[in-house]
Amino acid sequence: MAALLARGLLRGALRAGQRCASGGRGGEVDKAHRASAAGEDAGGQPTIFSKIIARSVPATILYEDDKCLVFRDVAPQAPVHFLVIPKRPIPRISHVGPQDTELLGHLLVVAARTAQAEGLADGYRLVINDGKHGAQSVYHLHIHVLGGRQLGWPPG
């Protein structure tokens, strides 16, 4: 796995306080409300993430195996910000069941190993947004991994 992680690794270059072009938190909340209103929360429709998996949309891929894909967030909220997604589309964390136990554990292990490979020895945060009120703007389960600076609390 380490060899796969080493290929294509690019260190985050953003300064700690830099905000994304989408308007930061307000922009993501607005996107989440629009996605929910459009019915994307029900799943079944292609998402930007399914297009990244299919390689029809480019991404900086950090790791891939038969179950998941890891790539850099295009609007990073920390110096290191990547996403871990299952290849099997699951619209929301609230839609998982007992059959997903192994996959969810695998996603967390891959997140931890990728964080280590990215040099996040001082710690990092894992975030899963769920639904409109959780500010989920892409309805394909994904784990945000953020680090490279001191993160504040509470997060929202």
Side-chain angles (χ1 to χ4, degrees):
M1 178 180 267
L4 291 173
L5 286 170
R7 286 194 322 222
L9 286 179
L10 298 174
R11 298 287 171 207
L14 288 179
R15 293 183 312 275
Q18 199 167 356
R19 301 300 301 175
C20 70
S22 66
R25 280 185 246 147
E28 286 304 308
V29 170
D30 291 344
K31 282 194 266 184
H33 281 263
R34 284 193 304 274
S36 180
E40 294 174 21
D41 55 343
Q45 301 173 24
T47 67
I48 188 72
F49 294 165
S50 61
K51 293 173 184 177
I52 289 171
I53 292 167
R55 302 300 198 274
S56 61
V57 169
T60 302
I61 296 171
L62 302 177
Y63 174 80
E64 180 174 18
D65 63 27
D66 61 326
K67 296 177 186 172
C68 70
L69 186 69
V70 180
F71 55 94
R72 295 216 181 276
D73 194 298
V74 297
Q77 300 299 302
V80 177
H81 185 174
F82 58 88
L83 303 175
V84 181
I85 66 169
K87 286 189 172 176
R88 180 169 52 87
I90 300 170
R92 300 172 59 172
I93 189 69
S94 59
H95 291 189
V96 301
Q99 72 279 4
D100 300 308
T101 301
E102 181 186 343
L103 175 61
L104 295 172
H106 180 73
L107 297 176
L108 291 175
V109 169
V110 168
R113 289 183 178 167
T114 307
Q116 181 180 22
E118 288 289 296
L120 298 178
D122 288 334
Y124 51 92
R125 180 170 294 158
L126 303 178
V127 177
I128 299 174
N129 300 324
D130 185 69
K132 176 174 65 175
H133 286 174
Q136 183 177 4
S137 59
V138 178
Y139 283 89
H140 184 126
L141 176 64
H142 54 288
I143 302 171
H144 293 264
V145 182
L146 301 107
R149 65 172 167 86
Q150 178 63 59
L151 300 172
W153 194 263

